Amino acid sequence: MQNRIILLCCYIFLSACSSQSPLPTDHYYRLPELTGISPDEQRVSTISVIKFQADGLYKERAIVYSENEVELQQYHYHHWADSPARLLQERLAQTLRMANVSKMVLTTFEGNSELIINGQLKAFERTKNANHDSATISLHLRVDDNLGGLPVLYKEYNQTVGLRDSTIAGLIDAFNTAINSIYHDFYIDLKAVLLK
């Protein structure tokens, strides 16, 4: 009799476990293909874009959001294909290559590079509010020449772009627009430094 009760309990337990719905699928996102960069005049021979620095949640691949501008949270099933710092480093290198500002743009440090670009990611999140959601990016960019001394350019770039809709695809598009806008402004500042 006791064996039957144990078997019945096991059957009920296994039936309950098998009726649970499956876990949601993880989704991974990359930035859309970069377009619209016009080739410019080469101004230096080699640029090294060093891996950007990031702290806390911005080191991880999960997409970050905030509903109150104080608490940061992560989506459980929506991730970047790589860390935001790495995505931003690669996008800047790609932008500079397409702009043809240098014969060679590297994503590693080379001692003979004329310019070394470092970045520090300060914000990279979805800001949710009652009126309209937006993608917010804050990025410090520093450019040094290989002679040492003070940076030739150091500036904080901030951009907030509203979402066209509340989907994750709309969020990725807003991030893409914000990143491209920041890099456009940075390129203008870099050209001004190189023309001096």
Side-chain angles (χ1 to χ4, degrees), residues 75-89:
Y75 285 104
H76 293 292
Y77 304 104
H78 298 286
H79 310 275
W80 291 106
D82 207 339
S83 69
R86 183 87 173 122
L87 288 174
L88 290 170
Q89 175 204 17

Side-chain angles (χ1 to χ4, degrees), residues 13 56 72 82-83 109 127 160 185 191:
F13 176 75
L72 296 175
D82 207 339
S83 69
F109 175 70
T127 305
T160 299
D185 294 345
K191 272 177 54 173

Side-chain angles (χ1 to χ4, degrees), residues 42 47 53 58 78:
Q42 284 188 359
I47 296 175
Q53 300 299 309
Y58 302 122
H78 298 286

Side-chain angles (χ1 to χ4, degrees), residues 37-43 97-102 187 191:
I37 306 292
S38 300
D40 203 349
E41 179 184 332
Q42 284 188 359
R43 302 184 192 283
R97 286 181 192 121
M98 290 177 75
N100 198 37
V101 70
S102 174
Y187 186 66
K191 272 177 54 173

Side-chain angles (χ1 to χ4, degrees), residues 29 32 63 75 80 126 132-135 161-178:
Y29 303 91
I63 296 176
Y75 285 104
W80 291 106
R126 177 181 196 160
H132 197 63
D133 290 3
S134 57
V161 174
L163 275 62
R164 62 177 157 78
D165 57 44
S166 62
T167 65
I168 295 293
L171 175 64
I172 302 305
D173 285 343
F175 272 120
N176 187 55
T177 301

Side-chain angles (χ1 to χ4, degrees), residues 2 8 13 18-19 22 46 67 77 80 85 88 96 98 105 114 133 150 152 157 159 161-162 169 180 193 195:
Q2 191 176 16
L8 180 62
F13 176 75
S18 66
S19 65
T46 310
E67 295 179 340
Y77 304 104
W80 291 106
L88 290 170
L96 295 173
M98 290 177 75
V105 178
E114 280 186 65
D133 290 3
L150 294 174
V152 295
Y157 295 88
Q159 192 64 244
V161 174
N180 292 341
V193 167
L195 289 172

Side-chain angles (χ1 to χ4, degrees), residues 6-24:
I6 291 173
L7 284 173
L8 180 62
C9 289
C10 288
Y11 176 76
I12 292 170
F13 176 75
L14 290 174
S15 296
C17 290
S18 66
S19 65
Q20 291 181 355
S21 60
L23 290 173

